[in-house]
Amino acid sequence: MEPGEVMALLGPSGSGKTTALRAVAGFVRPVSGRVFIGDRDVTDLLPYRRGIGMVVQQYALFPHLRVDANVAFGLKARKVPKAEIPGRVAEALEMTGMADYARRHPRELSGGQQQRVAIARALAVRPDVLLLDEPLSALDAQLRSGMLAELARLHRELPDVSILYVTHDQVEALTLADRIAVMDRARLRDCGTPRDLYRRPRTEFTASFVGNANLLPVTVGTDGVTLGGTALKVETGERHRAPGPPSASAPTSSASATARTRSGAGSPRSSGAAPPTGCTWRWRATG
């Protein structure tokens, strides 16, 4: 991730998104590899020494503490000087629009307000990285839409904070993220900008998971494609080819491909060049 970037981990339930997030946070030790935040290797550091803030699905607010005390909890745990705590609590609550609710208890707040308090608590420690684990999953559709706008606003106000956002909702990922990493079965399947993943997916899984798509088997030749025994003349070229080098073992006469149709997706890209055979293709039909 780049400094100030919003990266979404997108995938179905059970794909390993939360486990990956917990490894970054320090709650799970990776079996292999190292975790770096900036130039620091934090793999062996305890969570509270990593300079991160985290918001979990169910907010994890202390019911017996007022809002201001909940936000101050992380600061006290990090032994921030007492004289600094009230100012930093007020700053975080103001940033999340919760300054008027500082004296209330969590039970007196709505779900959206509790979520803002959880975000304020994470921001109060001034993290380098903010980890969000499906923070909107417990909200209804109307509140979720409002909180998406709030998170986008917070990112604009905190341009130096990198955000790693876990979700299975592609609308959230496409709305917030600068880049999206697609996960499935504990594997990283694809990574790119929302536009690239939507228009030029590298894998069949990404093509079916991001957006609404119909996948059709086709055979690609030098002069077009064949679908269900019917030859179709289409403009093809290098810009249509899925990223990655052609397989050395692929046949020279034709190649297996996936035709992808998407309602309202726009016209195919074309470079005017004839396609090399033996490549994997994703062709978008618009008619």
Side-chain angles (χ1 to χ4, degrees):
M1 291 179 60
E2 298 295 329
E5 183 179 32
V6 179
M7 172 75 80
L9 286 182
L10 177 67
S13 298
S15 60
K17 306 182 301 297
T18 295
T19 300
L21 193 78
R22 289 171 62 84
V24 175
F27 301 124
V28 173
R29 184 175 180 84
V31 175
S32 61
R34 311 292 294 178
V35 179
F36 284 81
I37 297 179
D39 296 327
R40 290 192 307 144
D41 184 347
V42 299
T43 310
D44 299 321
L45 294 183
L46 294 172
Y48 70 91
R49 294 188 180 276
R50 297 192 177 199
I52 61 173
M54 186 169 181
V55 178
V56 297
Q57 295 182 36
Q58 299 300 327
Y59 320 143
L61 300 179
F62 297 106
H64 63 291
L65 298 179
R66 295 194 309 259
V67 165
D68 53 359
N70 267 282
V71 175
F73 182 84
L75 298 172
K76 293 177 179 178
R78 297 183 185 215
K79 311 246 184 255
V80 173
K82 289 184 179 180
E84 292 185 22
I85 291 178
R88 290 175 63 169
V89 168
E91 178 186 41
L93 291 176
E94 185 68 31
M95 192 176 301
T96 55
M98 292 299 293
D100 293 338
Y101 300 87
R103 309 292 290 179
R104 297 192 183 186
H105 286 82
R107 63 178 178 273
E108 301 174 283
L109 305 176
S110 68
Q113 290 170 336
Q114 291 183 46
Q115 183 62 284
R116 292 186 188 192
V117 174
I119 293 173
R121 181 174 59 187
L123 293 177
V125 299
R126 297 175 180 171
D128 298 319
V129 179
L130 180 61
L131 308 179
L132 303 177
D133 185 10
E134 303 206 37
L136 310 184
S137 61
L139 304 180
D140 60 39
Q142 185 173 0
L143 281 176
R144 190 180 302 121
S145 177
M147 281 304 302
L148 273 175
E150 285 295 315
L151 289 173
R153 178 186 63 80
L154 281 173
H155 180 233
R156 291 192 299 269
E157 293 183 5
L158 300 168
D160 296 329
V161 176
S162 300
I163 299 177
L164 188 57
Y165 188 102
V166 164
T167 181
H168 63 270
D169 188 323
Q170 56 184 278
V171 173
E172 294 179 17
L174 293 170
T175 300
L176 284 176
D178 299 310
R179 285 192 299 156
I180 300 173
V182 180
M183 295 189 66
D184 181 45
R185 300 180 183 180
R187 293 289 185 272
L188 182 64
R189 300 300 182 186
D190 212 337
C191 185
T193 66
R195 180 183 179 86
D196 285 345
L197 292 185
Y198 186 88
R199 292 186 175 274
R200 300 180 64 192
R202 294 172 180 266
T203 66
E204 182 176 331
F205 176 80
T206 303
S208 61
F209 190 76
V210 179
N212 298 315
N214 299 315
L215 303 181
L216 306 173
V218 301
T219 300
V220 179
T222 57
D223 56 350
V225 300
T226 302
L227 171 62
T230 302
L232 303 175
K233 287 286 187 178
V234 296
E235 294 183 9
T236 53
E238 283 296 319
R239 293 177 66 185
H240 284 274
R241 187 173 58 174
S247 171
S249 61
T252 58
S253 59
S254 65
S256 174
T258 301
R260 172 175 181 160
T261 66
R262 196 191 293 274
S263 175
S267 60
R269 296 184 178 92
S270 173
S271 67
T277 56
C279 299
T280 299
W281 298 69
R282 271 176 180 76
W283 168 65
R284 187 188 308 283
T286 58

